[in-house]
Amino acid sequence: MKVQWQVIVGIVLAIVIAIFAVINVDDVKVNFLFAYVEWPLILVILGSVLIGGLIFFCLNIVRTNSMKKQVKTLEAAKKELERSLAAEKSRKVKVSEVEVTDSAPKPTV
């Protein structure tokens, strides 16, 4: 259900951005620090959205890969702990409790 809502919100945002971009078709001056260019505002808006989406996508890939690495590390640690627990259970010997009494009398004070 969560994925469906994400798709719906994504489509709505895409439509809003497209409408906003189509309304703003005037030429604007863009400064690239080394040159000035006049482009239609629609290209500036769509280009900015595209670059933002690419940055988000790349950051999401990095986060996903780090999470996968963490999961593998935790699974390996879990297997090792399970192995050591099984080894301890197999080594466990039932020891009977024996009371040890002192044969020497205690000094009285």
Side-chain angles (χ1 to χ4, degrees):
M1 188 72 172
K2 181 180 177 183
V3 175
Q4 292 174 343
W5 280 107
Q6 289 176 344
V7 170
I8 292 171
V9 169
I11 290 172
V12 169
L13 286 175
I15 291 171
V16 168
I17 290 170
I19 291 171
F20 183 71
V22 170
I23 292 172
N24 295 297
V25 292
D26 299 331
D27 285 344
V28 293
K29 194 180 225 183
V30 180
N31 183 2
F32 286 110
L33 295 176
F34 53 85
Y36 289 98
V37 179
E38 285 202 23
W39 283 348
L41 188 56
I42 187 171
L43 291 179
V44 174
I45 293 170
L46 294 177
S48 299
V49 169
L50 181 66
I51 290 171
L54 287 174
I55 291 171
F56 177 76
F57 180 73
C58 291
L59 292 176
N60 196 22
I61 287 175
V62 169
R63 190 184 85 200
T64 302
N65 287 340
S66 69
M67 290 291 186
K68 285 181 182 178
K69 184 178 178 182
Q70 185 179 10
V71 166
K72 285 182 182 179
T73 304
L74 291 173
E75 284 176 349
K78 178 185 170 197
K79 284 182 182 179
E80 182 61 34
L81 288 172
E82 286 174 346
R83 269 192 230 120
S84 65
L85 179 64
E88 287 298 320
K89 281 184 179 180
S90 67
R91 278 192 239 152
K92 191 173 184 179
V93 177
K94 192 171 188 177
V95 178
S96 62
E97 295 180 17
V98 177
E99 258 186 63
V100 177
T101 59
D102 289 335
S103 58
K106 293 184 180 178
T108 58
V109 179

